Amino acid sequence: MSVVVSYNEDSHSVIHEFNSYLPLKNLHYASSSKSHVINDLSITFKKFTDIKSSVLLSDQSVFLHLFFVFSDDAEFYKTNIRKQIQDWLNSIASKKTQEWLVIHVSPALSLPDSTTKKRFYSGLGSGGSILDRIKSDFSTKRERCCGLKLNDEDSWKDFLGKVKEGILSSFSMQVQQFDEDIKRLDSQRLMPGWNYCQFFILKETSALLFESMTLYEDALLHYDELEASFFQTLAEQGAPWFTTFGGTDLHDDSDDILNFKKKPYRELIFQNKITIFDFRVYLFSRQVLLVEKLGRVNEVCVRAKKFLVEFVRNLREYRFGLPNSFCESWVYSACMSVVSQCEELVVVKKFSSFTMMAYESAKAELLHLARMQLDSLGKISGLYNPENDSIYTPEVIQLDLNQDEFKGITNTELKKALTNVEFFDELYLVLVFTSKFHFL
């Protein structure tokens, strides 16, 4: 996720130079409740003609439009460029929460080639100040016209300051608009025709907006509120906006629970075609992503265990519509996916000893939960006898995975364990000793 800034045609050389000044540093944003300092902000540049508008294009939230002017020819400006700017402004006039800047660019000491120089700087010095003309033609209460000298660091500093002002202004306007729309829609919750899925899309788009600005705590709060509103709506009105309970797609029992791109979730929610299973998994994966970005690796494990233990109760209520042993395979796969991703995070980030102790303890609980699923599958298959604390009996050498009880399992590790005694033994012992070690 990043902030999108558009630019006009023939501006590639400036954008290339602009990239060397990224990410933007130290943006100060003040909400109604607190102030934020955004230390680093990445930008994604897109040509203005490539911008697409859709409520579902969450990764293309445009904050700022830039129009670069490269000519100093007064006549050329009057007959061509002024109309281009006006047409450009007319096309973005309806985008009330998006900001714009018109920038007159002075040439650098050296340019890529003579062709570029001739094209961009035709008529250099033949007329008065083009920047003054631009300001005269397009001035607003807020200064949106400026100059940029490519070989002047102070000029770049001023320009970057205006870019930051424009992005923050757009962000503030978008937040205000979303807040008003969310409050209005939430107040209609008990009215006929109200739709939770549409409410979710609206509030999530606001969450994605905060995420793009690296305000992860605020984005997480949005998702936590969406989870609370889901349960409230479920208690008040049931779940008429969800097609079925779900969990019946191939690999639903084993897919990475944290991969929110494995299905077109937002499209399904927007179209009221999402299942309860897919919705809960998607919401959880989004929450975890933000917790990871906040660097709270132990909280990832704590949230994961809470979600799995609570949601598996729902799975068991609908077990007759699910493949056999679906619950065990899903919980096991989810535990291992979360632990695997957390381990990757621990490798690349340095955490305090206190955080690591909390993480190891929370991880151990997930591994213990995964082992419990092996207990259950082992009992069914005969590989585990809890009465004599034996993992398997020597008489059992191999099992037939085609038996009805295990047909629905798609987790390759579990499939191998249920058809290979030695591998089941090895997998079980690893989980037992690893979880006990981290509990200590």
Side-chain angles (χ1 to χ4, degrees):
M1 294 292 299
S2 63
V3 170
V4 175
V5 173
S6 81
Y7 62 93
N8 58 313
E9 295 285 346
D10 295 329
S11 302
H12 306 288
S13 60
V14 179
I15 296 302
H16 178 75
E17 187 83 11
F18 196 164
N19 272 304
S20 65
Y21 289 89
L22 298 180
L24 297 176
K25 302 287 187 180
N26 301 323
L27 288 82
H28 295 266
Y29 167 70
S31 65
S32 57
S33 57
K34 57 182 177 180
S35 297
H36 305 267
V37 177
I38 302 169
N39 295 320
D40 298 289
L41 184 66
S42 298
I43 289 177
T44 297
F45 291 108
K46 291 183 179 293
K47 285 201 302 184
F48 182 73
T49 52
D50 293 340
I51 295 295
K52 298 177 181 178
S53 179
S54 170
V55 69
L56 296 178
L57 292 174
S58 55
D59 61 341
Q60 292 191 5
S61 180
V62 182
F63 286 67
L64 180 65
H65 300 280
L66 303 178
F67 193 104
F68 294 96
V69 177
F70 297 93
S71 176
D72 275 335
D73 188 321
E75 187 63 26
F76 187 67
Y77 169 79
K78 180 180 178 181
T79 58
N80 290 276
I81 296 176
R82 182 166 59 187
K83 183 178 186 305
Q84 291 175 13
I85 296 174
Q86 189 60 62
D87 291 343
W88 174 75
L89 287 174
N90 291 341
S91 66
I92 62 177
S94 61
K95 300 172 174 52
K96 302 297 184 182
T97 60
Q98 297 175 10
E99 282 287 359
W100 56 271
L101 282 174
V102 178
I103 310 99
H104 177 253
V105 181
S106 299
L109 293 175
S110 60
L111 289 168
D113 54 60
S114 59
T115 303
T116 303
K117 183 175 181 179
K118 182 178 180 181
R119 184 177 183 186
F120 283 172
Y121 302 109
S122 57
L124 185 61
S126 61
S129 171
I130 298 300
L131 177 58
D132 289 340
R133 291 170 185 260
I134 292 173
K135 289 181 177 180
S136 175
D137 290 334
F138 303 104
S139 289
T140 61
K141 291 182 179 179
R142 184 169 176 272
E143 187 177 354
R144 292 182 172 87
C145 304
C146 65
L148 173 61
K149 297 178 181 179
L150 295 179
N151 57 325
D152 188 326
E153 287 299 314
D154 288 336
S155 182
W156 271 105
K157 184 178 179 180
D158 291 342
F159 168 65
L160 294 174
K162 288 180 171 57
V163 168
K164 290 193 283 187
E165 288 175 9
I167 289 173
L168 289 171
S169 174
S170 172
F171 177 61
S172 297
M173 289 189 290
Q174 291 185 67
V175 168
Q176 182 179 358
Q177 186 63 61
F178 274 119
D179 283 348
E180 293 173 358
D181 292 342
I182 290 168
K183 288 177 182 177
R184 174 181 52 78
L185 198 57
D186 190 38
S187 67
Q188 301 170 355
R189 191 175 67 253
L190 299 179
M191 296 177 62
W194 190 84
N195 188 307
Y196 174 80
C197 288
Q198 303 308 308
F199 176 76
F200 180 92
I201 289 293
L202 179 64
K203 192 172 179 71
E204 187 193 28
T205 306
S206 179
L208 294 171
L209 182 70
F210 279 97
E211 184 183 350
S212 70
M213 293 290 289
T214 71
L215 298 174
Y216 303 131
E217 196 76 62
D218 297 80
L220 179 60
L221 178 61
H222 276 58
Y223 280 110
D224 288 345
E225 290 174 348
L226 279 169
E227 183 179 29
S229 67
F230 168 77
F231 287 116
Q232 181 182 0
T233 304
L234 197 65
E236 293 172 347
Q237 304 180 50
W241 307 283
F242 299 91
T243 54
T244 60
F245 180 79
T248 56
D249 291 343
L250 185 63
H251 300 298
D252 270 352
D253 69 305
S254 61
D255 274 339
D256 182 0
I257 194 174
L258 302 181
N259 181 8
F260 57 84
K261 295 183 179 181
K262 62 179 177 281
K263 294 183 182 181
Y265 291 109
R266 274 177 63 82
E267 287 82 354
L268 292 170
I269 295 171
F270 183 71
Q271 297 167 6
N272 295 325
K273 294 180 179 179
I274 192 82
T275 65
I276 292 177
F277 176 84
D278 284 342
F279 174 79
R280 295 295 307 279
V281 167
Y282 174 68
L283 178 55
F284 170 73
S285 66
R286 278 292 190 180
Q287 290 170 311
V288 167
L289 173 68
L290 292 165
V291 175
E292 287 180 347
K293 288 185 175 182
L294 288 165
R296 302 203 288 251
V297 65
N298 58 309
E299 185 180 333
V300 172
C301 294
V302 171
R303 281 180 176 255
K305 184 187 176 184
K306 181 177 183 294
F307 170 67
L308 296 175
V309 170
E310 290 179 353
F311 191 48
V312 80
R313 298 193 189 108
N314 298 117
L315 292 177
R316 292 195 175 107
E317 290 174 5
Y318 289 88
R319 64 185 181 278
F320 296 112
L322 297 171
N324 290 332
S325 299
F326 179 93
C327 294
E328 290 82 1
S329 180
W330 180 75
V331 173
Y332 176 87
S333 301
C335 287
M336 302 311 289
S337 291
V338 172
V339 169
S340 176
Q341 188 151 321
C342 286
E343 290 292 274
E344 292 178 7
L345 192 63
V346 167
V347 169
V348 299
K349 288 192 175 183
K350 292 184 178 180
F351 294 101
S352 67
S353 57
F354 178 80
T355 298
M356 286 304 299
M357 287 179 61
Y359 163 64
E360 296 293 355
S361 177
K363 180 179 75 172
E365 294 192 27
L366 278 182
L367 293 173
H368 178 70
L369 184 59
R371 196 219 74 194
M372 290 173 63
Q373 311 315 307
L374 276 186
D375 283 352
S376 179
L377 293 172
K379 292 173 188 176
I380 296 170
S381 64
L383 285 168
Y384 174 67
N385 186 350
E387 293 185 1
N388 61 14
D389 201 28
S390 173
I391 295 178
Y392 65 86
T393 59
E395 293 78 14
V396 180
I397 298 177
Q398 202 158 23
L399 294 169
D400 181 8
L401 195 62
N402 289 323
Q403 58 185 290
D404 291 341
E405 189 59 44
F406 301 123
K407 278 184 178 179
I409 293 178
T410 62
N411 183 297
T412 54
E413 192 171 52
L414 288 180
K415 288 171 68 174
K416 182 178 179 180
L418 293 171
T419 55
N420 185 295
V421 174
E422 287 77 12
F423 186 74
F424 183 93
D425 183 14
E426 179 184 343
L427 183 61
Y428 192 93
L429 290 175
V430 167
L431 286 175
V432 168
F433 291 126
T434 306
S435 59
K436 284 187 176 180
F437 173 80
H438 293 297
F439 269 129
L440 296 178

